[in-house]
Amino acid sequence: MNEKLCLRALERSDLRFVHNLNNNRNIMSYWFEEPYESFGELEELYNRHIHDNAERRFVVENMKKELIGLVELIEIDYIHRRAEFQIIINTEHQGKGFARELINRALDYSFTILNLHKVYLVVATENEKAIHLYEECGFVEEGFFVKDIFINGQYRDVKRMYILQDKYL
């Protein structure tokens, strides 16, 4: 990957980009969320969570200021020092090697800035590419949930994967 990426805090001006991602059924199936959110709902959600310390949302842009994707740490728990990790790469930028760099940047932020002990994620078991990538980045399987999520008319199995601060650092 030769292209430089910038990870920055989500701004109100980024909501149209997020709205487009949220309304892509294929993308949202990987986040196990319902697509087709209205822009008004998204604005309301942004306003409600802008000062929420339990979440960190970042947009990714390239040097041309094109928006590439989202990186999120949610459910941040400062007592137990853990958070859930989520990533979306816009379909037109998938397959370019961006995800690996962004995962590592998110982990670096999680462990060196937020001083988290554990970062975890949930991934559909049939998403073999993502599982392989997460494993290459140091995540290991923590658990397996049978028919836990509903995607495209079917219940699917998921894995929960994690990485610990001391393992990463």
Side-chain angles (χ1 to χ4, degrees), residues 40 42 66 96-97 113 141:
L42 181 60
E66 295 172 316
K96 297 180 180 179
I113 304 297
E141 184 176 336

Side-chain angles (χ1 to χ4, degrees), residues 76-87:
I76 301 171
D77 182 330
Y78 292 99
I79 293 172
H80 303 293
R81 297 179 39 227
R82 65 179 175 227
E84 182 177 349
F85 170 76
Q86 297 180 325
I87 185 171

Side-chain angles (χ1 to χ4, degrees), residues 9-57:
L10 177 71
E11 299 286 347
R12 183 177 304 280
S13 59
D14 300 317
L15 292 182
R16 280 287 169 206
F17 172 70
V18 174
H19 182 248
N20 288 335
L21 293 175
N22 288 356
N23 282 281
N24 183 319
R25 184 176 176 174
N26 292 329
I27 288 175
M28 293 320 301
S29 70
Y30 289 112
W31 269 25
F32 319 130
E33 292 184 18
E34 177 187 359
Y36 316 124
E37 175 181 60
S38 76
F39 189 76
E41 288 174 304
L42 181 60
E43 280 185 314
E44 189 176 307
L45 188 65
Y46 177 84
N47 291 335
R48 195 169 49 235
H49 292 278
I50 187 66
H51 299 292
D52 188 346
N53 281 334
E55 301 175 353
R56 297 289 191 282
R57 288 183 161 79

Side-chain angles (χ1 to χ4, degrees), residues 91-102:
T91 52
E92 61 203 43
H93 296 286
Q94 291 176 4
K96 297 180 180 179
F98 295 146
R100 183 181 326 278
E101 178 182 344
L102 297 172

Side-chain angles (χ1 to χ4, degrees), residues 29 32-33 147-156 158:
S29 70
F32 319 130
E33 292 184 18
K147 297 190 185 244
D148 196 60
I149 49 121
F150 190 73
I151 302 173
N152 295 329
Q154 292 185 324
Y155 284 95
R156 308 288 173 94
V158 297

